[in-house]
Amino acid sequence: MQQIVLSGIRSTGNLHLGNYFGAIKSFVRMQHEYNCYFFVADWHSLTTHPHPGDLHANVKSVLSEYLACGIDPEVCTLYVQSDIPEIAEMYLLMNMNAYIGELERTTTFKEKIRKQPDNVNAGLLTYPVLMATDILIHKANKVPVGKDQEQNIEMARRFGKRFNQIYGTDYFPEPEGFTYAKNLVKIPGLDGSGKMGKSEGNAINLADDAKTIHQKVMKAVTDAGPTEMNQTPPEVIENLFKLMEVASTPETVAFYREQYAKCQIRYGDLKKQLSADIIQFTAPIRERILEIQSDDAYLAKVVSMGAEKARISASATLIDVREIIGFRKF
Ligand code: TRP
């Protein structure tokens, strides 16, 4: 049988070039190789108390961005978590077999306590239970996630195994996390750091307009320039070459690398070229994002189709789970 791949998408934050060449590219490829479920984790976002006015707008913008990048709702199952009531019921059931102690010991929970000491809500504590439910309700085999989510996958595996053990079944398969980062290009930030990330504030978003991209690239950190012929560029400079490698033609990259090697490089020129090439690369994606975002009828169709498909799988699991736990109809 075809393997089931599932991943939850945070509903806050815009997609940037780093995401594009990381998660997104691998999702787009995987949707053709596996039975894929991708969803916007809007219930999870409530743990940080978003403003009601932002909740829907956030979901809409992530959805539009994923769709614009090539996630195909006809090929995979793309849905919004809160459209699937079965998840809420199963979360309730799963909470009964999750222990306070193990939840309190989770690294992500401890981090959240540090980050939002005035809002240590119960949803934050049971975040891994909801996430395990997301995964188990479709009996997912593979969960592509970033490194920061590995412990949550471990918890999902543990809760699934515990359920099997308590009720003496082998109902849930063991979900396996896998990081897509290994064999993909890592996109560096514009600040000399090794990685582009939204929290690092060094990212170029796919939805950024030309002016914003230009400003960001022109502000990228550089150094005083090469002093010796053929010297190896330091990380800040190598990062700019790496960005060029994804956005520019090989000839352009070769040209600037050579200028560097000959100590003739002008960083201003390199940045102008880089910003023009990034703008050219992202423009069609940005256009699609805007197009999709202004098409509420299309988005409504996408999410209702996704919910319909997701609920078939989710409700089948929930019926079994109720039965296994011992609920019976009169
Ligand atoms: N916790 C994940 C994140 O912050 C999002 C998420 C929610 C998720 N449910 C999931 C990821 C289920 C994978 C599987 O990125």
Side-chain angles (χ1 to χ4, degrees):
M1 219 176 72
Q2 204 183 22
Q3 292 258 302
I4 296 169
V5 166
L6 172 140
S7 193
I9 301 160
R10 273 173 237 193
S11 64
T12 48
N14 293 93
L15 290 181
H16 53 69
L17 274 182
N19 301 132
Y20 184 82
F21 288 100
I24 316 282
K25 266 207 147 169
S26 80
F27 286 5
V28 170
R29 197 170 13 127
M30 280 187 293
Q31 64 183 347
H32 299 288
E33 294 164 12
Y34 302 98
N35 181 5
C36 286
Y37 290 86
F38 301 123
F39 68 94
V40 184
D42 58 345
W43 273 332
H44 275 114
S45 80
L46 293 182
T47 55
T48 56
H49 291 185
H51 190 278
D54 295 334
L55 192 66
H56 178 70
N58 288 344
V59 173
K60 184 172 166 176
S61 82
V62 244
L63 260 182
S64 311
E65 293 185 0
Y66 273 78
L67 289 163
C69 289
I71 298 292
D72 186 344
E74 304 276 350
V75 175
C76 65
T77 302
L78 177 64
Y79 61 98
V80 179
Q81 186 185 35
S82 64
D83 282 341
I84 317 298
E86 288 80 7
I87 297 174
E89 182 178 334
M90 189 159 130
Y91 165 59
L92 180 153
L93 301 173
M94 297 306 287
N95 266 320
M96 305 304 170
N97 296 328
Y99 298 101
I100 302 259
E102 61 188 342
L103 296 171
E104 280 173 341
R105 282 192 300 274
T106 315
T107 329
T108 38
F109 178 64
K110 289 190 205 153
E111 257 166 42
K112 283 283 164 126
I113 294 184
R114 224 177 313 123
K115 272 199 211 146
Q116 50 183 72
D118 301 328
N119 182 14
V120 186
N121 58 70
L124 216 47
L125 183 70
T126 57
Y127 187 112
V129 185
L130 181 54
M131 183 158 157
T133 303
D134 289 330
I135 297 169
L136 297 171
I137 205 159
H138 297 298
K139 299 191 183 166
N141 308 100
K142 287 175 186 288
V143 186
V145 284
K147 259 218 143 331
D148 62 327
Q149 294 297 313
E150 270 168 13
Q151 194 178 25
N152 281 333
I153 307 291
E154 181 55 45
M155 304 282 278
R157 220 182 350 258
R158 187 195 297 188
F159 295 143
K161 275 202 279 199
R162 186 176 296 156
F163 180 96
N164 288 350
Q165 201 184 5
I166 292 175
Y167 300 107
T169 92
D170 56 0
Y171 188 69
F172 288 120
E174 270 190 45
E176 160 201 4
F178 71 96
T179 39
Y180 34 73
K182 274 181 225 132
N183 33 16
L184 290 162
V185 216
K186 209 193 265 154
I187 304 300
L190 293 169
D191 55 353
S193 78
K195 195 169 170 249
M196 186 175 280
K198 72 163 185 261
S199 39
E200 286 80 357
N202 61 11
I204 294 172
N205 295 328
L206 297 174
D208 281 347
D209 60 21
K211 193 169 156 222
T212 310
I213 294 178
H214 187 71
Q215 281 168 350
K216 284 181 178 176
V217 174
M218 294 315 281
K219 271 195 274 181
V221 182
T222 50
D223 63 2
T227 49
E228 276 169 50
M229 298 290 273
N230 298 317
Q231 79 180 61
T232 310
E235 198 184 2
V236 267
I237 305 304
E238 185 54 37
N239 283 352
L240 295 180
F241 286 134
K242 286 256 159 62
L243 276 170
M244 260 197 156
E245 277 163 11
V246 299
S248 310
T249 63
E251 293 74 33
T252 305
V253 184
F255 173 79
Y256 284 98
R257 282 206 186 268
E258 195 187 318
Q259 294 289 97
Y260 186 89
K262 292 199 288 196
C263 295
Q264 287 170 2
I265 188 127
R266 302 218 322 232
Y267 290 141
D269 291 349
L270 178 147
K271 287 179 179 179
K272 268 188 219 146
Q273 178 77 48
L274 180 60
S275 97
D277 291 341
I278 292 178
I279 290 164
Q280 203 186 4
F281 177 82
T282 54
I285 304 174
R286 176 180 139 79
E287 228 166 86
R288 274 202 302 277
I289 294 173
L290 296 176
E291 216 174 284
I292 294 169
Q293 252 178 342
S294 63
D295 194 347
D296 280 331
Y298 172 68
L299 284 168
K301 204 180 96 194
V302 167
V303 297
S304 77
M305 188 170 70
E308 202 179 306
K309 285 195 270 179
R311 289 191 71 184
I312 292 174
S313 153
S315 59
T317 304
L318 189 56
I319 287 170
D320 292 342
V321 165
R322 283 192 200 133
E323 169 80 24
I324 292 168
I325 292 179
F327 291 100
R328 297 283 183 274
K329 287 233 173 337
F330 283 98

